[in-house]
Amino acid sequence: MRSFEVETRAQDGATIVAVAGSVDAVTSPRLSEALQAAATGGGHRVVVDLAGVTYVSSAGLRAILAGVKAARTAGGNLVVAAAQPQVRDVFELAGLTTIVAFHDEVAAAVAGLG
Amino acid sequence: MPAMTMTKPAKQAQLAVFLGFVDLISERYGLDRDHAHRLKLVLEEAIVNVVEHGYATRHEPGDLTLVADVDADGVAVVTLQDHGTPFGPDDAPPPDLDSDWVQRRVGGLGWHLIRELADAVAYHPGDAGGGRPNVLTLRVGGARPRADEARGAAQGGAA
């Protein structure tokens, strides 16, 4: 059983999607589902809290990029918080840090949503 | 230490088994944290390519075989063999990393990550049938050299 958890909560007018474990080809459909629900519901303001994520593959990158597109298309935004360096490196390699804003902490990420 | 081998049908239901095997490779060959991460990423991307695309035109997917070993320089060498439609790194268009969020494609990152993170990539297409398989060889350093592996095994056997 691969380690993976995703929880969604409301905070200061945003939807926080907190993820933990390995975001890979096996687990990423659950992240996609949570991000699409968060991006298309509520105020379309989403923070993906990656503090507990130890690994992300292109399957996870696709889930987050699709979430960004869904949130922005709905008039909102999706940003990332608290990614560990090894995880952030994968986003950089894939050229996604120019598209998705990264913040060190969730509170700053919520503020960054504007 | 003998090479590690696993053969399973290249289907979604087996992905977790393949990824579990990848974790075992790093553990067994003593890859450090950074190289274990790189090996895991390149192998996941390569495995997913075969599972999602290699046998896409077949009613029932064929097998994917992984063979892992480490050389005298501490480089983990993993080959993937399948009998699906040949598709190698040169067939994959590079992703446009400068496009904006509207234009950016959601897919197409797998081969890019493999090219960026593996120390070497070699691909030999097969005949897309039951004969000669497609063979993708990926190399990632950071393992215990093979001589050390042999000594460790000998010491383990004597203890």
Side-chain angles (χ1 to χ4, degrees):
Chain A
M1 192 68 186
R2 304 188 73 71
S3 158
F4 177 81
E5 289 178 30
V6 58
E7 288 182 0
T8 299
R9 68 176 192 276
Q11 179 178 323
D12 300 330
T15 302
I16 314 298
V17 179
V19 196
S22 178
V23 186
D24 54 36
V26 174
T27 62
S28 64
R30 290 168 60 196
L31 176 60
S32 291
E33 192 180 332
L35 292 183
Q36 290 298 315
T40 56
H44 319 298
R45 293 157 46 85
V46 185
V47 173
V48 189
D49 178 358
L50 294 182
V53 170
T54 52
Y55 171 84
V56 63
S57 70
S58 72
L61 302 182
R62 281 197 297 274
I64 289 179
L65 180 56
V68 170
K69 287 175 176 263
R72 291 183 185 171
T73 301
N77 199 5
L78 180 151
V79 299
V80 172
Q84 296 179 26
Q86 194 165 249
V87 168
R88 186 185 166 124
D89 286 349
V90 181
F91 281 87
E92 285 191 7
L93 269 179
L96 290 181
T97 49
T98 58
I99 286 182
V100 189
F102 277 68
H103 299 272
D104 290 341
E105 296 178 358
V106 170
V110 173
L113 283 168
Chain B
M1 184 176 288
M4 299 170 67
T5 303
M6 189 181 75
T7 298
K8 293 280 180 192
K11 52 172 68 171
Q12 291 283 345
Q14 297 291 346
L15 260 181
V17 180
F18 281 116
L19 298 187
F21 183 76
V22 170
D23 289 337
L24 280 180
I25 294 171
S26 289
E27 200 176 302
R28 177 109 166 247
Y29 294 135
L31 268 72
D32 61 55
R33 184 184 150 103
D34 174 57
H35 287 88
H37 181 250
R38 286 169 51 191
L39 184 71
K40 184 174 180 175
L41 253 173
V42 299
L43 286 179
E44 176 180 334
E45 302 301 342
I47 291 165
V48 167
N49 281 339
V50 175
V51 169
E52 292 188 348
H53 307 297
Y55 294 104
T57 58
R58 314 276 179 88
H59 178 64
E60 187 66 23
D63 285 343
L64 168 62
T65 295
L66 269 63
V67 180
D69 207 343
V70 62
D71 69 14
D73 297 320
V75 176
V77 183
V78 185
T79 63
L80 290 84
Q81 300 175 31
D82 70 271
H83 292 278
T85 305
F87 192 93
D90 294 339
D91 300 318
D96 180 2
L97 302 183
D98 298 320
S99 58
D100 64 16
W101 70 272
V102 176
Q103 301 296 326
R104 188 69 62 97
R105 284 179 58 220
V106 173
L109 293 170
W111 278 112
H112 172 68
L113 292 177
I114 292 171
R115 286 187 292 248
E116 288 289 323
L117 292 170
D119 291 321
V121 180
Y123 184 73
H124 298 285
D127 56 13
R132 187 163 44 86
N134 305 309
V135 180
L136 174 66
T137 303
L138 301 166
R139 294 172 190 270
V140 173
R144 283 191 299 264
R146 183 154 192 98
D148 293 349
E149 287 290 328
R151 274 197 294 276
Q155 285 165 359

